[in-house]
């Protein structure tokens, strides 16, 4: 009979992190470096603060036949390296390192933003939001720059007194809150709010901080007799990962209890296509496998319905005389999806589907035809919900102009890249009101675009990169060779894509770095055939070929060609003289004006540069020419 070579025991989180600090618990040296981004750290903090499970850990006791070289978790003190570890952490490195970094070290945390920028962050818990049951806990977790002041100064926690006044609790004190609490009490002593603040902190301590202090994690400990083969197989399995149940699966299970087949609604059956297939087919170009809505997920659809349902609940509360914090939030977050009743789903499913169809039409009007070219998939949700809400009003020119402005502010403000639940809810609440005379939505008022951002937009994954090329087509760019506008038929019929203006082969020969010539400033939409004619020669040379023509391509009069170039915001003289530097400066200014027209806002002209250092992979940074086969 084979005996078990592992044990599963609960361990206090504080003890595990202290073991990391002393070196008792370390990592196998072949483990990847700590790479968790800011949003995932916030989500982890939020889960611990609510005593939610975050998964088991797996360790290997040291001293057996498997002799991995150990290394301390990132950020542990130097003496930890000199301590022989009792065990190695096989699964859970990212979670434990993240928690160690933000709690025990009392130092600013180096992390990565969703835009792949390396930044330094302090993490705080907003006490008021954490105690509000209507607020998603992740929205209560705040990340601040190293100076502890947000850009623009909206939040300033640069001194302990400012932390106390703002009711912002530093995550570095979750295991040692007594000294902070004493200073907090002294700050409020003698003030009118003294008793209320003391009681608020004690409630915060009971409902939030105690969850950290008493939090336990299940640890599967492989004993030192575990064979090398077993350790390798286990390690491979725990690092492969699987797709967890998402909100749609859980809602499907709940609706099934009431006899409703949500999965059938979405996926259909052999006889009838489901909503997923209908959306994929919406505005599908001939010869293409799917349309612009191909990547709309089941949870996206539920999220849009949830916006309507939670708004109804808020209106009911307002009608009942409730105010302020008593009012439920309008939201489409995960918790709201899990609370979405079947009656609300049935009430709004057709209206919301019609909103997504209108969203596809809207995107085509912006000259965004393929999922590949969509700046933000996440922005489709509020777009569809807004269009579902306003109905035929979106066809009015004045309303459509505002919708265009809102959309492009979201794209060029790069506001839909992460932590989008709150922004989606705001836009759903604010944009329809704005269309009917209300104040500008926060997506418009908060957008900030720096002129230098154009120089760093080199990756195809960048929303603003994609948006700029769609905007060029929308505002009348004409193909260099044919002089045709890039409408729907030409876009697909001529295989239009983004190409270099000064060809990359020519730029390389001139010694121009890829970080400069790969900028979106040197890119524009062109047909496949036109790009083949351009080749890798100097602009003056390929313009000469276009003007001369050949047996397959008619000659183009110079004045016509100049007109085509200007439609791309290109100065023909600078292209004809191969003046790369002057061209880059001139076109940057022209593109900036185009963005300003689309957003209705002037670019930021201050001297503050964009935060963070670019940490994208080389293959992502150096982009080859995009040619469709």
């Amino acid at each position: 009979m084979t005996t078990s070579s592992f044990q599963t025991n609960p361990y206090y989180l504080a003890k595990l992190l202290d073991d990391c600090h002393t070196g008792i618990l370390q990592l196998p040296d072949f483990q990847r470096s700590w790479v968790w981004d800011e949003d995932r750290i916030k989500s982890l903090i939020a889960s611990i603060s609510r005593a939610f499970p975050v998964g088991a850990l797996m360790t290997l006791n040291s001293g057996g036949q498997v002799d991995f070289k150990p290394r301390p978790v990132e950020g542990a003190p130097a003496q930890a390296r000199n301590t022989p570890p009792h065990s190695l952490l096989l699964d859970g490195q990212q979670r434990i390192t993240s928690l160690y970094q933000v709690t025990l070290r009392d130092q600013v945390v180096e992390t990565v933003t969703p835009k792949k920028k390396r930044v330094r962050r302090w993490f705080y818990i907003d006490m008021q939001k954490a105690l509000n049951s209507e607020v998603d806990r992740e929205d209560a977790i705040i990340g601040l720059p190293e100076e502890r002041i947000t850009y623009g100064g909206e939040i300033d926690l640069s001194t302990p007194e400012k932390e106390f006044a703002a009711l912002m609790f530093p995550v570095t004190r979750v295991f040692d809150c007594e000294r902070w609490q004493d200073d907090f009490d002294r700050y409020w002593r003698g003030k009118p709010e003294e008793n209320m603040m003391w009681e608020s902190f004690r409630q915060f301590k009971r409902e939030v901080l105690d969850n950290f202090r008493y939090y336990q994690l299940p640890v599967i400990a492989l004993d030192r007799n575990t064979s090398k083969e077993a350790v390798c197989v286990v390690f491979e399995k725990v690092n492969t990962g699987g797709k967890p149940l998402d909100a749609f699966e859980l809602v499907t299970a709940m609706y099934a209890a009431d006899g409703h087949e949500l999965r059938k609604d979405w996926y259909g059956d052999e006889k009838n296509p489901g909503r997923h297939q209908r959306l994929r087919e919406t505005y599908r170009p001939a010869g293409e496998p799917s349309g612009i809505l191909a990547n709309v997920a089941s949870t996206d659809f539920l999220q849009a319905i949830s916006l309507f349902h939670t708004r109804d609940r808020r209106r009911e509360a307002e009608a009942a005389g409730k105010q302020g914090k008593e009012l439920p939030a309008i939201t489409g977050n995960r918790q709201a999806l899990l609370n979405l009743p079947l009656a609300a789903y049935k009430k709004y499913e057709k209206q919301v589907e019609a909103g997504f169809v209108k969203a596809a039409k809207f995107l085509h009007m912006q000259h965004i035809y393929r999922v590949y070219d969509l700046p933000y998939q996440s922005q489709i949700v509020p777009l569809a919900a807004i269009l579902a809400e306003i109905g035929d009003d979106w066809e009015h020119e004045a309303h459509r102009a505002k919708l265009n402005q809102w959309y492009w502010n979201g794209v060029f403000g790069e506001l839909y890249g992460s932590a989008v639940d709150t922004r989606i809810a705001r836009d759903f609440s604010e944009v329809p009101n704005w269309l009917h005379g209300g104040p500008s939505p926060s997506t418009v008022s908060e957008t900030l675009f720096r002129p230098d951002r154009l120089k760093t937009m080199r990756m195809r994954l960048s929303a603003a990169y994609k948006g700029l090329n769609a905007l060029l087509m929308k505002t009348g760019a004409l193909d260099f060779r044919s002089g045709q506008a890039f409408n729907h038929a030409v876009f697909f019929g001529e295989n239009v894509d983004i190409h270099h203006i000064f060809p990359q082969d020519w730029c390389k020969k001139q010694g121009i770095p890829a970080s400069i010539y790969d900028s979106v400033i040197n890119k524009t939409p062109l047909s496949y055939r036109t790009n083949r004619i351009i080749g890798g020669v100097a602009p003056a040379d390929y313009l000469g070929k276009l003007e001369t023509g050949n047996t397959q391509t008619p000659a183009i009069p110079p004045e016509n060609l100049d007109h085509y170039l200007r439609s791309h915001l290109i100065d023909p003289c600078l292209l004809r003289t191969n003046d790369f530097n002057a061209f880059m400066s001139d076109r940057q200014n022209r593109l900036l004006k185009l963005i300003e027209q689309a957003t209705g806002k002037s670019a930021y002209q201050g001297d503050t540069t964009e935060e963070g250092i670019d940490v994208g992979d080389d293959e992502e940074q150096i982009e080859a020419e995009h040619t469709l086969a």
Side-chain angles (χ1 to χ4, degrees), residues 537-545 575-578:
V537 300
D541 293 338
Y542 72 66
L543 292 178
K545 288 196 292 183
L575 213 57
R576 292 181 183 282
T577 55
N578 300 329

Side-chain angles (χ1 to χ4, degrees), residues 180-369:
W180 195 91
Q181 180 181 355
D182 289 342
D183 292 339
F184 177 86
D185 288 347
R186 276 193 292 272
Y187 175 84
W188 287 105
R189 187 171 296 140
K191 294 181 172 65
E193 308 94 330
E194 177 181 355
N195 291 334
M196 182 177 66
M197 291 303 171
W198 286 13
E199 179 54 34
S200 291
F201 184 84
R202 281 149 184 77
Q203 181 186 0
F204 176 75
K205 189 176 181 180
R206 290 192 306 270
E207 297 184 12
V208 178
L209 296 185
D210 282 353
N211 288 334
F212 285 89
R213 179 171 294 183
Y214 301 113
Y215 194 90
Q216 291 182 304
L217 280 162
V219 178
I220 302 169
L222 304 180
D223 69 32
R224 58 177 52 91
N225 296 319
T226 305
S227 68
K228 291 183 179 179
E229 179 185 7
V231 170
C232 289
V233 170
V234 167
F235 187 79
E236 179 183 5
K237 296 297 184 184
V238 300
N239 279 275
T240 299
K243 183 181 181 298
L245 287 175
D246 61 20
F248 179 79
E249 302 292 343
L250 296 173
V251 174
T252 298
M254 290 187 290
Y255 286 2
D258 293 326
H260 185 81
E261 298 182 66
L262 183 61
R263 178 175 292 277
K264 186 175 180 180
D265 283 355
W266 185 250
Y267 293 108
D269 54 27
E270 294 180 358
K271 296 181 179 179
N272 302 303
R275 183 167 284 118
H276 175 58
Q277 184 62 30
R278 292 199 297 273
L279 293 179
R280 282 178 57 89
E281 291 290 325
T282 301
Y283 290 101
R284 180 177 65 84
E288 294 294 314
S290 57
I292 191 70
L293 301 182
N295 287 350
V296 170
S298 53
T299 48
D300 295 334
F301 189 78
L302 291 180
Q303 189 174 29
I305 292 179
S306 177
L307 294 173
F308 282 89
H309 171 62
T310 54
R311 187 197 58 186
D312 287 348
R313 289 184 60 232
R314 186 178 181 90
R315 288 177 174 174
E316 290 168 2
E318 289 172 340
K322 294 184 179 180
Q323 297 178 345
K325 295 179 181 179
E326 295 179 316
L327 294 173
I330 298 174
T331 180
N333 62 24
R334 178 185 173 87
Q335 185 175 346
L337 265 57
L338 296 178
N339 292 332
L340 184 65
L342 177 59
Y345 171 81
K346 290 183 174 179
K347 178 180 179 180
Y348 287 112
E349 58 175 323
K350 292 182 180 179
Q351 182 178 347
V352 167
E353 181 174 353
F356 275 98
V357 172
K358 291 175 183 176
K361 184 177 180 181
F362 175 89
L363 292 169
H364 276 235
M365 292 169 70
Q366 310 308 310
H367 283 63
I368 301 170
Y369 303 118

Side-chain angles (χ1 to χ4, degrees), residues 29-45:
D29 198 42
F30 58 79
Q31 285 268 42
R32 294 173 297 166
S33 297
W34 178 68
V35 293
W36 263 25
D37 64 47
E38 183 177 357
D39 287 341
R40 295 179 75 180
I41 294 174
K42 290 179 181 177
S43 179
L44 182 61
I45 295 170

Side-chain angles (χ1 to χ4, degrees), residues 248-496:
F248 179 79
E249 302 292 343
L250 296 173
V251 174
T252 298
M254 290 187 290
Y255 286 2
D258 293 326
H260 185 81
E261 298 182 66
L262 183 61
R263 178 175 292 277
K264 186 175 180 180
D265 283 355
W266 185 250
Y267 293 108
D269 54 27
E270 294 180 358
K271 296 181 179 179
N272 302 303
R275 183 167 284 118
H276 175 58
Q277 184 62 30
R278 292 199 297 273
L279 293 179
R280 282 178 57 89
E281 291 290 325
T282 301
Y283 290 101
R284 180 177 65 84
E288 294 294 314
S290 57
I292 191 70
L293 301 182
N295 287 350
V296 170
S298 53
T299 48
D300 295 334
F301 189 78
L302 291 180
Q303 189 174 29
I305 292 179
S306 177
L307 294 173
F308 282 89
H309 171 62
T310 54
R311 187 197 58 186
D312 287 348
R313 289 184 60 232
R314 186 178 181 90
R315 288 177 174 174
E316 290 168 2
E318 289 172 340
K322 294 184 179 180
Q323 297 178 345
K325 295 179 181 179
E326 295 179 316
L327 294 173
I330 298 174
T331 180
N333 62 24
R334 178 185 173 87
Q335 185 175 346
L337 265 57
L338 296 178
N339 292 332
L340 184 65
L342 177 59
Y345 171 81
K346 290 183 174 179
K347 178 180 179 180
Y348 287 112
E349 58 175 323
K350 292 182 180 179
Q351 182 178 347
V352 167
E353 181 174 353
F356 275 98
V357 172
K358 291 175 183 176
K361 184 177 180 181
F362 175 89
L363 292 169
H364 276 235
M365 292 169 70
Q366 310 308 310
H367 283 63
I368 301 170
Y369 303 118
R370 301 176 300 189
V371 172
Y372 181 62
D373 297 312
L374 188 63
Y376 283 125
Q377 180 69 36
S378 56
Q379 201 174 359
I380 291 183
V381 174
L383 174 62
I386 291 165
L387 293 172
E389 166 67 7
I390 66 175
D392 293 339
D393 280 359
W394 88 286
E395 296 177 353
H396 299 170
E397 185 176 357
H399 291 162
R400 198 163 57 248
K402 283 188 172 181
L403 283 171
N404 291 343
Q405 184 184 358
W406 162 78
Y407 183 79
W408 291 115
N409 271 277
V411 170
F412 292 113
E414 298 180 281
L415 300 177
Y416 270 89
S418 65
V420 298
D421 284 349
T422 300
R423 184 157 302 280
I424 287 172
R426 281 184 190 172
D427 281 337
F428 176 67
S429 302
E430 297 171 352
V431 173
N433 185 41
W434 179 47
L435 298 182
H436 294 96
S440 296
S442 53
T443 291
V444 173
S445 61
E446 292 175 4
T447 288
L448 180 70
F449 190 85
R450 295 177 174 84
D452 281 353
R453 177 70 179 109
L454 287 168
K455 296 178 181 178
T456 62
M457 285 160 49
R458 301 189 296 275
M459 292 187 290
R460 186 60 178 250
L461 298 178
S462 164
Y465 178 111
K466 296 177 180 179
L468 191 55
N469 283 280
L471 203 54
L472 281 167
M473 291 188 287
K474 181 185 178 184
T475 53
L478 305 173
D479 188 67
F480 291 0
R481 175 188 57 84
S482 66
Q484 297 180 103
F486 298 114
N487 58 30
H488 186 275
V490 172
F491 183 86
F492 288 100
E494 297 290 335
N495 283 340
V496 174

